[in-house]
Amino acid sequence: MATALITGSSRGIGAAIALRLAEDGYDIALNDISEAMFEDNDIIDKIKAQGVMCESFVADVSSYDQCEQMVKDVKAKLGTIDVLVNNAGITRDGLLARMSEESFDSVIAVNQKSVFNMTKFVGSVMMKQRSGRIINLSSVAGLWGNPGQFNYSASKAAIIGMTKTVAKELGSRGITCNAVAPGFIKTPMTDKLTEAQKENILRMIAMRRYGTVEEIAGVVSFLASKDASYVTGQVIEISGGLSM
Ligand code: NAD
């Protein structure tokens, strides 16, 4: 049985990806930053109801040491890692002129350094087995920039560079690496936007609606599937036509 590890997967897009990959038949390694994220949360039961194994692993993905330990723990409990989804992410929005150093550093650490940490340790597992799929969560902010998101856009643009580099470094070992760049998806992250911000955003989206977490999970499922075996180094925008 193949195993998928999804970071930041107790809720939101990560939880939807985990559930979809469980439906596809993968054993699932969930991750989040604290045990509390898995309390009063039915995601583990929903995944197990698909007839696959599911374990949760608490680790801060911005920590190199915690990522190394988590990868060892996932291998010990679930055997191997065939799919890695680098999903964990945070926002600390604010205009550049007012952005604190802490806001910049924390977003880079969680969104960008985590991809280095996880890809290094999981990549080594995948290189030994000479197969693997790595799927990174970028964002339209990384492709096109977004006022108020200097830190977030920087981290999500960096993910595109890392995705293409990993695709080139690991392609000969049977490993693909792709990114998805969601637009505005209804999750706790976007619930934080003001009504005025939400209205402005809807006007820019060709489909005039937010995306759903399932619509992101479907594309990730495709990238993890046999049908995407010759797709690597690509960024798929999932935004309802936001950027045209
Ligand atoms: P969310 O806030 O609902 O979920 C993010 C998850 O990551 C949470 O469970 C959180 O606890 C976890 N997390 C945060 N820091 C962590 C850390 N240091 N270690 C481990 N886990 C950590 O957000 P979401 O909307 O589901 O976003 C998921 C991903 O999709 C993010 O990378 C985000 O940038 C990206 N994205 C989201 C949207 C959107 O519209 N929601 C758009 C584009 C990209």
Side-chain angles (χ1 to χ4, degrees), residues 4 6 10 13 26 39 91 96 107 109 116 125 155 159 195 214:
I6 306 102
S10 73
I13 293 172
Y26 289 93
E39 285 162 15
T91 50
L96 173 59
V107 168
F116 164 68
V125 174
S155 69
I159 285 175
E195 282 310 312
E214 290 79 15

Side-chain angles (χ1 to χ4, degrees), residues 7-15 31-34 37 59-63 86-91 110-111 137-141 152 156 159 180-190 210 213:
T7 66
S9 47
S10 73
R11 70 175 194 196
I13 293 172
N31 152 261
D32 220 295
I33 191 158
S34 70
M37 297 299 294
D60 177 347
V61 290
S62 68
S63 156
N86 284 310
N87 167 80
I90 58 169
T91 50
V110 176
N111 297 7
L137 270 287
S138 179
S139 164
V140 288
Y152 185 79
K156 295 298 180 180
I159 285 175
V180 293
F184 291 90
I185 310 302
K186 210 185 151 6
T187 68
M189 188 179 266
T190 46
Y210 282 84
V213 292

Side-chain angles (χ1 to χ4, degrees), residues 94-100 148 150:
L95 293 174
L96 173 59
R98 281 191 242 124
M99 184 169 287
S100 68
F150 183 90

Side-chain angles (χ1 to χ4, degrees), residues 162-184:
M162 292 190 284
T163 299
K164 292 178 187 231
T165 301
V166 171
K168 288 183 174 179
E169 285 195 13
L170 304 190
S172 64
R173 311 291 185 96
I175 299 163
T176 68
C177 183
N178 293 287
V180 293
F184 291 90

